[in-house]
C-alpha cells in the first residue's frame, strides 16, 4: 500500500493545567493525541502502522520541540528503530488500564482532567476496533537523551467505522 495517512489535528492534555489535591502530583505529565484519516477502509493494521511510522507527524521527540520533518527521534527511541513490528495488539481494556494506572500513579486525578482524558482519549479507545501498544522496544533502542522521559506510553487506535487512526502518547518528563 503506497497510501498515506492524512493528519486531521489533535489535542494536548497537560496535567499541570488541572488542580490536584497534592500540588506536586501532576509532575510534568501530559497526553498528546494526533488524529489521522485512514487512507482506505481495507488497509491492514500493519499497513496502517507502516503509514503512521512514515508520516511526518510521527517525527516528534515529545520533548518540547514538536514535529521535526528531519528528526531522527520518536519519543524515547531512535526513529529508524520504530517499525510496525514494535507494536503489539492489546485489548481496549488493557490499554485503558495502562492509561488509568499511569494517570493515577500519584493519586486520584481531578474531575476536570478525568473529563479531558475521557473526551480526548478514552472515548476514541472505546470505539476502536484495533489497539496497538508500542512495547517491542527497550533501552537498547533509546536515543542519546531518552532519559528525559520518566515514562513513555504509546497507543495506536484504529477505528474503521469512523475512518480514523489516533496516535496517543502519554508521558512524563
Amino acid at each position: 500500500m503506497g497510501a498515506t495517512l492524512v493528519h486531521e489535528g489533535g489535542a494536548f492534555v497537560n496535567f499541570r493545567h488541572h488542580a490536584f489535591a497534592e500540588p506536586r502530583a501532576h509532575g510534568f505529565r501530559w497526553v498528546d493525541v494526533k488524529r489521522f484519516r485512514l487512507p482506505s477502509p481495507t488497509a491492514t493494521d500493519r499497513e496502517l502502522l507502516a503509514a503512521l511510522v512514515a508520516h511526518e507527524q510521527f517525527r516528534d521527540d515529545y520533548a518540547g520541540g514538536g514535529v521535526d520533518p528531519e528528526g531522527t527521534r520518536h519519543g524515547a527511541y531512535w526513529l529508524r528503530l520504530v517499525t510496525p513490528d514494535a507494536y503489539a495488539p492489546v485489548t481496549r481494556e488493557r490499554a485503558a488500564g495502562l492509561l488509568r494506572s499511569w494517570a493515577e500513579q500519584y493519586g486520584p486525578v481531578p474531575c476536570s482532567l478525568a473529563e479531558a482524558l475521557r473526551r480526548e482519549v478514552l472515548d476514541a479507545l472505546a470505539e476502536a476496533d484495533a489497539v496497538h501498544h508500542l512495547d517491542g522496544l527497550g533501552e537498547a533502542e533509546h536515543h542519546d537523551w531518552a532519559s528525559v522521559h520518566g515514562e513513555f506510553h504509546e497507543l495506536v487506535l484504529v477505528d474503521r467505522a469512523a475512518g480514523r487512526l489516533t496516535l496517543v502518547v502519554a508521558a512524563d518528563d
Side-chain angles (χ1 to χ4, degrees), residues 49-137:
L49 290 168
L52 175 64
V53 170
H55 201 282
E56 179 179 278
Q57 287 293 315
F58 197 76
R59 296 177 178 279
D60 194 330
D61 59 26
Y62 296 100
V67 173
D68 178 0
E70 303 302 318
T72 58
R73 295 171 180 86
H74 175 76
Y77 306 104
W78 290 111
L79 179 64
R80 71 181 184 280
L81 301 175
V82 183
T83 68
D85 292 334
Y87 292 86
V90 295
T91 65
R92 291 185 299 240
E93 295 76 18
R94 178 156 157 53
L98 171 77
L99 290 172
R100 283 191 180 102
S101 259
W102 169 77
E104 297 170 353
Q105 66 186 304
Y106 302 114
V109 298
C111 291
S112 61
L113 177 57
E115 172 57 24
L117 292 172
R118 182 203 56 77
R119 181 181 63 250
E120 300 299 345
V121 180
L122 297 173
D123 285 352
L125 179 58
E127 296 297 320
D129 50 90
V131 181
H132 300 274
H133 178 220
L134 178 63
D135 73 349
L137 296 173

